Amino acid sequence: MIRPGGPADSQAVLGLLDEAVRWLVAQGRTGQWGTEPFSTNPTRVATVRGWMNGQSWIAEADGRVAGALAVGEALSYVPPADVPELYIRGLVGGQFPAARGAGRLLLAQAEAEGRRLGVTRLRVDCYAGDDRALVAFYESAGFTATDPFTVGDWPGQVLERRLR
């Protein structure tokens, strides 16, 4: 089930992000988000609260928050939009079995919202280091890599999906 997100979802979304960090650390993949939980970093907590105070959706499975997606303005390190777009600011899925596929369901929700708004493109940026697995995930969901970037030493990739 997909439903609108809100401020009351912030703690659950932080929990998903903490879970994702633990999973990445267990895989030896610390380049994306480091090793510390999101919930212990005031800047990251404020970011998640901002997502949940804006336009966001929550995927639920087995009575739990299984994923979250937030849209808003593109960040400063991303090339400015040249067409009307919906920008995905954050996407996270849970690691428990019933959460499998939540990310794709949320991307479909973003596409539907983009079509409803009459925009012609979805964009997202993500970590492009290590084996580029996150880039490959978005490509498998119909996105095309466009603009690589770096923030400090952190390699990123902007991807887009045209809406017709």
Side-chain angles (χ1 to χ4, degrees), residues 3 25 28 31 39 55 58 76 84 95 97 99 116 122 125 127 131 134 149 163:
R3 64 169 174 80
V25 167
S39 61
Q55 189 172 12
I58 298 293
S76 62
Q95 299 299 314
R116 185 187 74 75
L122 292 178
D125 68 87
Y127 179 65
D131 57 4
L134 196 49
F149 65 91
L163 303 178

Side-chain angles (χ1 to χ4, degrees), residues 92-141:
V92 63
Q95 299 299 314
F96 60 98
R100 186 165 175 80
R104 290 184 189 280
L105 288 172
L106 288 162
L107 289 173
Q109 175 64 38
E111 179 180 348
E113 180 66 7
R115 289 182 191 286
R116 185 187 74 75
L117 293 171
V119 302
T120 57
R121 173 175 72 188
L122 292 178
R123 276 199 308 168
V124 65
D125 68 87
C126 70
Y127 179 65
D130 298 326
D131 57 4
R132 293 179 58 89
L134 196 49
V135 174
F137 164 77
Y138 283 111
E139 288 175 334
S140 75

Side-chain angles (χ1 to χ4, degrees), residues 30-34 77 126-130 132 148-157:
T30 59
Q32 181 174 341
W33 287 333
Y77 53 79
C126 70
Y127 179 65
D130 298 326
R132 293 179 58 89
F149 65 91
T150 57
V151 175
D153 294 334
W154 194 87
Q157 178 69 57

